[in-house]
Amino acid sequence: MLKFYYSGAPNPMKVALFLEETGLPYDPIPVDTRKGDQHKPDYLAINPNAKVPAIVDGETIVFDSNAILLYLAEMTGKFLPEKTSKARGELLSRLMFVASGVGPFAGQSVHFRNYAPEKISYATNRYMYEAQRHFSILDTRLAKHHYVLGDTYTIVDMAVWGWSRLIPTVLGDGAWAKFPNLKRLVDEISARPAAQRAIALKDKHQFKTEMDDEARRAMFRHLTEKVA
Ligand SMILES: N[C@@H](CCC(=O)N[C@@H](CS)C(=O)NCC(=O)O)C(=O)O
């Protein structure tokens, strides 16, 4: 059975949503990143980047949430747009836009707003600005299309859902007012039974919730290793 290495964080949740939407059988394996599980040799053999999610499907290993979404969608033939070159161009562009823009800038925004030991207004402003800019691009798109790729619910919407549902954590309370069309999509997806099951998945295992010294050492290794 397909093994799904996960936590309740935004990137694993995209994959949990896909798995629950398709009903593909899977074995959820917790990786408690606040306890340092991501740095254990057995896990590094699966994902050398020491992050969740990852999947093992027989002899195939896939890590990085958006790569996993594409792999699973192509494997099952589900949640993909129509099979035209134009639609594939849109799929790849928008999926990589989420992978390289939305996710990283939202993640850094959360980091500098909530976890940086010093408040650095330049960094906070840069990452919040970029996160907001990326979400605005999605919002503009969704003003004209029901889903990111048009009329069909695809893996791009699942990828978007992963980080967008945390917009208040990324940009602060009240930020939803800036993205009414994106909110419409996130609310629609969150109300789906599959999304409810994906969100509930983390309750199957006991994940550490405190962001204490052990968690900071595991997740923010630059605190103890200076390279600059
Ligand atoms: N590009 C990767 C990023 C994965 C990532 O940053 N995962 C976070 C959770 S959302 C994580 O594992 N954090 C633990 C750590 O940084 O040590 C993906 O999309 O899967």
Side-chain angles (χ1 to χ4, degrees):
M1 194 191 295
L2 188 145
K3 292 192 171 104
F4 172 40
Y5 294 83
Y6 88 108
S7 74
N11 288 310
M13 281 300 100
K14 304 169 186 174
V15 176
L17 175 60
F18 183 97
L19 291 167
E20 289 297 336
E21 289 284 12
T22 51
L24 211 58
Y26 68 96
D27 182 13
I29 300 175
V31 179
D32 197 330
T33 56
R34 293 193 177 191
K35 289 189 180 158
D37 288 353
Q38 69 274 42
H39 302 294
K40 291 184 176 162
D42 284 359
Y43 188 67
L44 288 174
I46 294 165
N47 186 352
N49 193 29
K51 308 266 180 202
V52 277
I55 60 164
V56 177
D57 179 26
E59 291 191 342
T60 308
I61 294 175
V62 192
F63 61 85
D64 252 71
S65 56
N66 300 281
I68 298 170
L69 285 175
L70 191 56
Y71 172 85
L72 292 175
E74 289 182 341
M75 183 179 95
T76 57
K78 292 189 174 155
F79 299 107
L80 289 168
E82 56 185 307
K83 284 187 182 162
T84 62
S85 168
K86 186 170 184 294
R88 184 153 175 85
E90 283 284 352
L91 167 74
L92 293 175
S93 304
R94 308 262 166 195
L95 192 62
M96 298 310 148
F97 166 77
V98 177
S100 64
V102 174
F105 283 105
Q108 294 306 313
S109 181
V110 171
H111 183 84
F112 282 101
R113 278 166 54 79
N114 300 311
Y115 299 120
E118 335 143 38
K119 294 288 161 225
I120 307 166
S121 67
Y122 176 85
T124 310
N125 188 54
R126 168 166 167 77
Y127 288 115
M128 283 182 70
Y129 175 88
E130 283 295 320
Q132 180 169 304
R133 193 178 67 76
H134 283 82
F135 287 130
S136 298
I137 292 168
L138 288 169
D139 193 67
T140 303
R141 173 87 178 168
L142 290 164
K144 295 209 184 95
H145 302 273
H146 192 82
Y147 297 106
V148 178
L149 296 188
D151 298 331
T152 314
Y153 175 44
T154 68
I155 52 170
V156 180
D157 303 295
M158 297 180 192
V160 165
W161 177 79
W163 271 105
S164 303
R165 55 190 276 267
L166 300 180
I167 275 180
T169 313
V170 176
L171 295 175
D173 292 338
W176 267 131
K178 295 179 187 139
F179 315 107
N181 306 295
L182 181 54
K183 181 155 184 356
R184 189 249 315 139
L185 179 70
V186 169
D187 287 350
E188 180 186 310
I189 297 177
S190 295
R192 293 175 70 88
Q196 300 290 312
R197 290 194 297 274
I199 292 166
L201 187 64
K202 64 178 186 320
D203 302 328
K204 287 200 172 159
H205 297 102
Q206 257 203 332
F207 286 97
K208 177 172 174 164
T209 52
E210 307 82 45
M211 182 52 88
D212 58 8
D213 280 348
E214 178 192 42
R216 275 188 285 273
R217 270 198 307 277
M219 296 180 67
F220 312 140
R221 291 188 131 188
H222 56 278
L223 288 174
T224 47
E225 199 176 323
K226 301 283 173 216
V227 294

